[in-house]
Amino acid sequence: MYSSLIITNNIHSWVLSLMPAAVTGITEMMMIAMIYLTVFAVLGLFLVLMERKVAAWFQLRIGPNRVGFFGMFQTIADALKLLSKELTGTDKADKFLYNLAPYFLIISSLMALAVFPFSENLQAFDINIGIFFLIAISSIGVIGVLLGGWSSNNKFALIGAMRSGVQTISYELSVGLSLLTMILLTGSLQLSEIIEVQKSGWLIVQGHIPAVIAFMIYMISGTAETNRAPFDMVEAESELGAGFHTEYSGMKFAYFFLAEFINMFIIAAIGTTVFFGGWLSPFGITESIPWLGVFWFLLKAFALVFLMMWFRWTFPRLRVDQLLTLEWKYLLPINLFNIVLMAIIVWLNFTIQF
Amino acid sequence: MGSEALIVFFLAGVILVAGANFISNLISHKSDNPQKREPYESGMPTIGPTWVQFKVGFYLFAILFLIFDVEIAFLVPWAVVYQEVGTVALVEIIIFLFILGLGLAYAWKKGALKWK
């Protein structure tokens, strides 16, 4: 799987020497699952810390600085605290759906994480319909939110879940269409091939004007799809308590929290892969050192995550009607027009390639 | 790894949630009283049923979403083969998007995009 990296070859031969060939595949799969679960948890903890540090920075505060070195272990302490809290719930809730909801969120974000090429060949599953798969899997998460909100039998949760439903399905259109605009340039949905195309210039440069428009639409609708401020009516603290996860406590609340932050990273990672060349280094400066791809990928992805955090402290929260107006009367028509524009540019060969 | 990766990741997600729930149940402090088991609505007792017929506006947007989502499913194969097919694909998509634009304009004119 990770054919170009020497370390994985060593691991493969080491596993082969320990057990028969038939069991090797299963063992390696379990190892990969463990690695991804660790990455998943560490990423979630790191993003929460980053959010708090960035928020503090924007508000001229220091932020968490007590636990560990510069507050580095603050989120780990928080996670342990959440783990040791009691799992309460209401008697009135629909118990089965109430417990089922976190599974939808966690599984959908974990499966989405599986298809990203973090570096050359460093990818768990190089699916040939990558972008389509990501659009599909990211819309499953909303089922978890709807189930959680509805089954809680709480009015705040119900309103939050309904708002989340209408918001996520609306903005999913824009995410899909803006990614589709970029597919015109690549002619492939496979993420590794999309990056291959970008060796002659990142797509945002190749597609110039329509690509920049598509990127702006993508970032707006991506922020809305992850239910983040300024599109966070789903869990508007001043209106709805905690929104759809009002009735969840302890670890069950942590799943929603974790999934929200991982989804944010996923949106940034899709943006990195499709618009900014994934693990490719700018101007190919580190092409001879393949493992630096991970560094470039994470650098770009975290830059986009930072952009989303920046949005949060810049814009005031929208009302539901403003939100729907923005999507259906502005972003969607612009997007449809943008696709035609991109089609014409590709047809005329007006793309910029190095 | 091939498509079995998805099954592996699915199981990993199930194990993560179920395992953490199990550990949490094991080590958490437990106490119980009747107030704790009521829905939290800022300290007020719940008035009336929660599972009621919800606002119809949400339903309207769900239908509109369905139309445009199917349209994306149509556009994906077109986008993949666009560079090979060329001029015919361009003309076809302009016609296709024009009709869709008419549909959106109709919904707009009828006030379906207005939040009431």
Side-chain angles (χ1 to χ4, degrees):
Chain A
M1 177 178 52
Y2 309 139
S3 53
S4 77
L5 296 175
I6 301 153
I7 182 167
T8 49
N9 282 341
N10 285 343
I11 291 174
H12 183 73
S13 51
W14 175 68
V15 172
L16 260 182
S17 69
L18 283 180
M19 54 193 78
V23 194
T24 320
I26 298 169
T27 317
E28 284 186 337
M29 263 184 230
M30 278 166 65
M31 280 166 73
I32 289 159
M34 286 308 293
I35 290 167
Y36 266 86
L37 275 183
T38 317
V39 169
F40 187 78
V42 171
L43 203 60
L45 292 176
F46 177 74
L47 283 168
V48 175
L49 182 70
M50 182 177 165
E51 162 96 35
R52 293 179 65 175
K53 280 286 187 190
V54 170
W57 187 54
F58 273 100
Q59 298 170 349
L60 299 178
R61 291 185 286 119
I62 299 171
N65 68 339
R66 292 283 157 172
V67 190
F69 188 64
F70 286 121
M72 283 303 205
F73 299 118
Q74 178 67 52
T75 45
I76 295 172
D78 286 347
L80 285 175
K81 181 203 74 180
L82 283 171
L83 193 65
S84 65
K85 287 275 178 185
E86 186 185 359
L87 294 173
T88 60
T90 60
D91 279 339
K92 285 179 157 185
D94 186 329
K95 286 277 155 41
F96 176 67
L97 297 181
Y98 177 83
N99 288 319
L100 190 66
Y103 286 91
F104 273 90
L105 280 160
I106 293 287
I107 289 170
S108 66
S109 49
L110 194 59
M111 278 167 89
L113 216 55
V115 299
F116 285 115
F118 287 102
S119 179
E120 194 167 19
N121 295 319
L122 190 60
Q123 188 176 12
F125 181 27
D126 195 9
I127 189 168
N128 55 358
I129 50 163
I131 293 291
F132 196 69
F133 175 80
L134 282 170
I135 297 171
I137 207 86
S138 65
S139 57
I140 289 179
V142 72
I143 298 177
V145 173
L146 270 174
L147 277 185
W150 187 83
S151 65
S152 295
N153 202 347
N154 179 318
K155 293 199 179 65
F156 290 153
L158 181 71
I159 295 170
M162 286 299 188
R163 284 182 183 181
S164 164
V166 74
Q167 175 180 335
T168 311
I169 61 172
S170 297
Y171 279 85
E172 220 176 86
L173 294 174
S174 282
V175 170
L177 284 172
S178 54
L179 291 177
L180 204 69
T181 317
M182 306 314 287
I183 300 300
L184 285 176
L185 285 171
T186 63
S188 170
L189 294 167
Q190 197 165 359
L191 291 175
S192 56
E193 274 181 38
I194 288 174
I195 289 176
E196 202 64 34
V197 170
Q198 300 186 63
K199 283 191 171 155
S200 56
W202 296 353
L203 282 189
I204 200 162
V205 180
Q206 279 195 28
H208 49 96
I209 298 166
V212 171
I213 297 173
F215 176 66
M216 290 197 288
I217 293 171
Y218 175 77
M219 277 321 279
I220 294 169
S221 44
T223 312
E225 215 191 318
T226 48
N227 298 332
R228 283 185 59 78
F231 305 102
D232 65 342
M233 289 90 66
V234 173
E235 41 195 301
E237 293 89 352
S238 47
E239 301 167 23
L240 293 178
F244 63 92
H245 53 58
T246 306
E247 287 299 336
Y248 286 86
S249 73
M251 208 53 210
K252 286 181 182 165
F253 161 73
Y255 301 135
F256 287 99
F257 207 58
L258 187 63
E260 187 188 319
F261 277 90
I262 296 291
N263 281 336
M264 192 164 92
F265 178 78
I266 286 167
I267 290 290
I270 299 174
T272 306
T273 312
V274 174
F275 294 96
F276 293 103
W279 46 265
L280 292 175
S281 51
F283 309 110
I285 45 175
T286 59
E287 220 167 305
S288 51
I289 321 166
W291 54 266
L292 263 183
V294 182
F295 167 73
W296 287 114
F297 184 88
L298 290 179
L299 185 75
K300 292 170 191 172
F302 280 115
L304 291 187
V305 166
F306 178 76
L307 187 66
M308 289 166 82
M309 289 172 178
W310 194 350
F311 287 163
R312 175 170 181 169
W313 300 108
T314 309
F315 301 113
R317 184 182 293 146
L318 277 74
R319 287 199 314 263
V320 178
D321 63 327
Q322 290 170 334
L323 176 109
L324 291 169
T325 305
L326 174 67
E327 162 63 19
W328 290 95
K329 295 187 181 172
Y330 292 91
L331 294 186
L332 190 61
I334 292 172
N335 226 330
L336 294 177
F337 178 73
N338 197 27
I339 285 183
V340 176
L341 188 65
M342 181 62 105
I344 290 170
I345 278 177
V346 172
W347 183 61
L348 292 173
N349 254 330
F350 275 178
T351 54
I352 300 169
Q353 281 177 346
F354 298 111
Chain B
M1 208 190 313
S3 49
E4 72 270 15
L6 293 184
I7 301 167
V8 173
F9 276 85
F10 180 84
L11 290 178
V14 172
I15 290 166
L16 174 70
V17 179
N21 267 350
F22 177 73
I23 294 171
S24 181
N25 260 326
L26 218 59
I27 65 174
S28 64
H29 168 79
K30 288 179 189 67
S31 71
D32 201 10
N33 62 50
Q35 279 77 37
K36 207 170 184 176
R37 305 197 147 272
E38 277 176 14
Y40 172 77
E41 288 175 11
S42 303
M44 294 276 289
T46 309
I47 302 164
T50 306
W51 292 329
V52 291
Q53 239 178 0
F54 216 72
K55 196 170 168 173
V56 76
F58 290 97
Y59 180 66
L60 211 58
F61 278 97
I63 291 178
L64 275 174
F65 159 74
L66 214 58
I67 299 166
F68 281 92
D69 209 33
V70 171
E71 165 223 343
I72 291 178
F74 279 135
L75 282 176
V76 167
W78 164 79
V80 173
V81 299
Y82 178 70
Q83 288 187 357
E84 295 159 33
V85 178
T87 318
V88 182
L90 179 68
V91 174
E92 275 185 352
I93 210 61
I94 288 173
I95 297 167
F96 183 71
L97 288 182
F98 178 70
I99 295 170
L100 257 165
L102 278 185
L104 186 65
Y106 179 74
W108 195 333
K109 185 87 202 329
K110 279 280 176 187
L113 304 183
K114 211 169 156 197
W115 187 255
K116 289 183 283 280

